[in-house]
Amino acid sequence: MTAHKQTNLKPRMNDQQEEFFLDGHNPAGTHEPLDFALETQFAEQDHGEAPVQENLLFDREYSENPSNSPQIDLDGMSKPIHQVTVKQYETTQNLAFQHANNLLESLEAQDVAVQYQCREGYCGSCRVQLLEGEVHYIDEPMAWVNSDEVLPCCCIPKTAIRIKLP
Amino acid sequence: MSYTTFNQNSFDTLKQPMFFGETVNVARYDIQKHKIFENLIEKQLSFFWRPEEVDLANDRKDFNDLLDHEKHIFLSNLKYQTLLDSVQGRSPNVAFLPIVSLPELETWIETWSFSETIHSRSYTHIMRNVVPNPAEVFDDITRNDFITRRAVSVTKYYDELIEKCSFYTQLGEGTHTINGKIVDINLYDLKRTLYLTMVSVNVLEAIRFYVSFACSFAFAERAKMEGNAKIIKLIARDEALHLTGTQHILQIMAAGKDDPVMGEIAASCKEEVREIFLEAANQEKEWAGYLFKDGSMLGLNQTILAQYVEYITDQRIVALGLPPIFETKNNPLPWINSWLNSDNVQVAPQEAEISSYLVGALDSAVDTNDFGDFDL
């Protein structure tokens, strides 16, 4: 913020404060156009190389489309990464959960095809078996979940987990 | 026991089982035995939609351009879905309401059945838009052998339960002679019929609908009949919730905590449950044969659809805690997931017709020229 910009603005605002009428009618009779200096004479400066981290611009709005929600890294933040071991048929994959909205998105981002339908916990299509570890439900699932199952669409791992896909 | 619309007895609602306890008196939700049913009601209400909100203007053109065997696939599916929703729009009310004992479950059944009536209305909306004479299509439902044959399996459990319950409410337990026929009515048998009815409803909503869904989405994958697909998406969303509802009811019954007799029945009925699932799967596979009798459609044929039926049957039966029937490994129609997900396309509501944005009269005609002055 430059110093002269402030000196330009301040006295003006103070002077005209009392003459401010919402409906534009000015009973005092002065017909000077009101200048609230909404636009300064100084164009906003382009910060050019400012350190805007692309990955900070992660937008929850688009989270349902897996391709738009890669797992995100935040520089300088500790990462609650949990190991996710996925068993499917005879194969076992070692993956990691880090900063995804939910386990389902994390798995999809790592090319694991999980069944899904509603993606908000009421249909139960994405059920997987939790063999080891603990998860935290962001939203309480509405679908029926057996005691050894979890719904990846609405949970995140609390510890390292081992899951078995149907 | 006879049915009364307002039970004057005072009793502890929380001690009632889901069915065959005291009939509900006060529709109160401050105390609830199974809170899940209120959650389901709220979810279902938040899903409310009207068929007229979906614009089908382009579908008429698409339909006229379809090949004859594709028209057959499209119309046959609609006929079958019309049958299923006709049944579902009334049967839960008629069959379950006289025997339900919990207010939250009673209201869920009513809410559930009501949403099926929206589905029925949407079929008329589709027919009005795509065919010149909807009556021809609707009249065929009761005449078409392939449809009526399956109607029997869809309705036989409902009908049996309704008949037995009406005897039970009028005459109570015991051996009765009705119209010269000896009928033995006992509560255990009634509960058993109820359990099997609930399984057949689960099958109806979890398997039978999905063949039609797959075909509708296969048309839409080719950018045909997209308005129809949008309606089917909304229907699929409702059905997924109903499916969760019946799964909860069945699992609560099987756990036996709600009603120990039900727990015993569930444990003893496993073979019948498997039979119900298997019969439905076979009928749906047969139906796939009828659909594609004159030719397949792009991306879908009888074999793939039959595999999908097997896959979905396994998924549903496993969810009830029973072993899979077909041991299928993976989904033969993986693209269907994104169609079944009703809100997978995240765009600004004013830019596209998305099913979560419920306003009618949208302009769905877009021409390449519309982007003439558009530069990136």
Side-chain angles (χ1 to χ4, degrees):
Chain A
M1 198 46 82
T2 45
H4 57 274
K5 201 190 269 182
Q6 280 178 1
T7 50
N8 247 350
L9 275 171
K10 265 195 178 165
R12 249 193 226 175
M13 291 300 278
N14 287 344
D15 287 346
Q16 299 190 344
Q17 202 68 47
E18 288 170 356
E19 295 170 3
F20 183 79
F21 294 96
L22 272 182
D23 57 2
H25 176 63
N26 186 349
T30 48
H31 295 288
E32 278 174 43
L34 301 175
D35 183 3
F36 291 103
L38 280 176
E39 291 179 36
T40 67
Q41 303 98 305
F42 305 96
E44 238 179 76
Q45 284 180 9
D46 190 357
H47 292 287
E49 304 285 302
V52 177
Q53 274 186 49
E54 278 291 317
N55 50 20
L56 276 177
L57 299 174
F58 181 73
D59 188 354
R60 261 195 89 93
E61 284 294 300
Y62 294 90
S63 60
E64 288 192 49
N65 191 341
S67 63
N68 284 333
S69 64
Q71 304 204 53
I72 47 171
D73 269 319
L74 296 179
D75 283 353
M77 265 184 75
S78 65
K79 297 171 188 169
I81 302 176
H82 294 296
Q83 200 193 339
V84 178
T85 315
V86 180
K87 260 187 80 176
Q88 191 170 23
Y89 318 132
E90 303 308 313
T91 59
T92 303
Q93 273 178 286
N94 285 316
L95 307 168
F97 175 92
Q98 41 179 320
H99 293 294
N101 286 322
N102 53 53
L103 182 56
L104 180 60
E105 284 181 13
S106 168
L107 292 172
E108 283 171 340
Q110 295 171 86
D111 293 327
V112 179
V114 187
Q115 286 309 306
Y116 68 87
Q117 183 169 338
C118 72
R119 303 182 78 95
E120 46 182 300
Y122 65 80
C123 79
S125 298
C126 61
R127 339 184 137 77
V128 298
Q129 224 181 325
L130 181 67
L131 303 172
E132 221 180 286
E134 261 183 272
V135 297
H136 166 75
Y137 278 107
I138 311 156
D139 297 307
E140 200 52 45
M142 205 179 279
W144 178 268
V145 190
N146 287 311
S147 52
D148 61 338
E149 292 170 337
V150 290
L151 289 188
C153 72
C154 49
C155 77
I156 53 171
K158 250 163 60 177
T159 62
I161 57 168
R162 227 152 58 79
I163 53 175
K164 185 168 173 271
L165 263 52
Chain B
M1 155 195 164
S2 68
Y3 185 75
T4 165
T5 44
F6 191 85
N7 188 349
Q8 303 268 346
N9 300 343
S10 70
F11 52 86
D12 185 353
T13 317
L14 296 180
K15 294 216 169 75
Q16 298 305 311
M18 289 193 291
F19 295 97
F20 293 114
E22 291 279 351
T23 51
V24 186
N25 50 21
V26 182
R28 60 187 293 183
Y29 315 99
D30 59 330
I31 44 169
Q32 294 177 20
K33 191 169 181 193
H34 301 294
K35 195 170 178 318
I36 179 66
F37 297 116
E38 196 186 24
N39 296 344
L40 288 166
I41 294 164
E42 276 168 12
K43 199 78 179 171
Q44 182 67 67
L45 291 178
S46 78
F47 284 172
F48 182 79
W49 58 284
R50 290 179 310 138
E52 296 75 20
E53 287 159 6
V54 180
D55 176 32
L56 293 170
N58 284 347
D59 288 47
R60 171 173 232 135
K61 198 173 116 292
D62 288 348
F63 182 76
N64 289 334
D65 292 344
L66 290 183
L67 301 172
D68 279 347
H69 72 273
E70 292 175 325
K71 285 183 183 163
H72 163 76
I73 295 170
F74 183 82
L75 289 180
S76 303
N77 271 323
L78 265 186
K79 286 178 201 166
Y80 185 41
Q81 280 186 266
T82 307
L83 165 84
L84 294 180
D85 273 313
S86 306
V87 172
Q88 276 305 94
R90 65 179 75 97
S91 312
N93 286 344
V94 182
F96 302 140
L97 290 186
I99 53 174
V100 72
S101 301
L102 298 174
E104 68 273 21
L105 180 55
E106 183 186 45
T107 309
W108 162 243
I109 291 167
E110 290 170 313
T111 312
W112 164 23
S113 210
F114 166 67
S115 78
E116 308 281 12
T117 65
I118 297 177
H119 304 172
S120 296
R121 291 186 58 253
S122 71
Y123 302 135
T124 301
H125 178 58
I126 295 171
M127 291 296 180
R128 274 188 189 136
N129 275 282
V130 302
V131 295
N133 186 6
E136 274 172 29
V137 181
F138 286 122
D139 288 345
D140 188 52
I141 294 174
T142 49
R143 294 184 198 134
N144 186 318
D145 238 18
F146 286 90
I147 293 177
T148 48
R149 212 182 298 160
R150 289 188 308 167
V152 176
S153 354
V154 169
T155 54
K156 67 178 177 204
Y157 288 100
Y158 267 134
D159 291 348
E160 188 186 341
L161 180 69
I162 292 167
E163 188 186 35
K164 282 183 182 170
C165 284
S166 73
F167 292 151
Y168 177 68
T169 46
Q170 284 173 52
L171 309 162
E173 281 187 278
T175 310
H176 310 287
T177 312
I178 299 155
N179 293 335
K181 227 173 79 187
I182 295 169
V183 184
D184 180 37
I185 297 293
N186 67 74
L187 198 53
Y188 185 89
D189 177 58
L190 270 179
K191 286 184 176 177
R192 198 167 171 282
T193 312
L194 168 66
Y195 182 76
L196 294 177
T197 306
M198 205 54 87
V199 172
S200 96
V201 178
N202 182 260
V203 164
L204 191 163
E205 298 191 304
I207 300 170
R208 294 190 187 271
F209 270 112
Y210 279 76
V211 169
S212 306
F213 290 169
C215 293
S216 295
F217 296 145
F219 278 118
E221 279 276 301
R222 291 161 48 198
K224 299 270 178 231
M225 314 302 292
E226 288 181 297
N228 171 69
K230 224 158 275 165
I231 287 184
I232 300 298
K233 257 183 165 190
L234 291 163
I235 293 177
R237 180 176 70 168
D238 289 340
E239 293 307 338
L241 193 67
H242 304 165
L243 163 67
T244 292
T246 46
Q247 278 176 356
H248 271 280
I249 294 173
L250 287 168
Q251 293 279 18
I252 292 170
M253 284 173 171
K257 233 194 274 168
D258 181 76
D259 180 353
V261 180
M262 271 298 184
E264 279 172 42
I265 289 169
S268 70
C269 282
K270 285 188 174 152
E271 199 40 52
E272 272 116 320
V273 172
R274 191 176 179 277
E275 285 300 317
I276 293 175
F277 272 86
L278 186 61
E279 188 198 10
N282 286 335
Q283 283 179 340
E284 294 311 307
K285 285 196 267 184
E286 230 175 80
W287 175 250
Y290 170 70
L291 286 180
F292 298 129
K293 67 182 169 65
D294 302 321
S296 306
M297 56 190 288
L298 209 61
L300 212 53
N301 60 38
Q302 191 188 343
T303 321
I304 300 179
L305 203 49
Q307 284 170 357
Y308 183 64
V309 169
E310 293 187 352
Y311 170 77
I312 208 111
T313 306
D314 274 357
Q315 278 230 314
R316 306 312 190 206
I317 198 165
V318 167
L320 292 183
L322 293 168
I325 298 177
F326 300 103
E327 303 277 355
T328 47
K329 287 273 183 218
N330 43 21
N331 188 351
L333 304 175
W335 50 265
I336 211 167
N337 284 341
S338 59
W339 282 101
L340 287 170
N341 179 239
S342 53
D343 296 308
N344 61 326
V345 191
Q346 294 271 327
V347 282
Q350 71 275 19
E351 286 172 2
E353 297 167 74
I354 58 166
S355 50
S356 59
Y357 185 69
L358 302 175
V359 172
L362 289 158
D363 179 14
S364 52
V366 179
D367 193 83
T368 347
N369 295 337
D370 295 339
F371 297 100
D373 56 353
F374 187 77
D375 268 318
L376 272 179

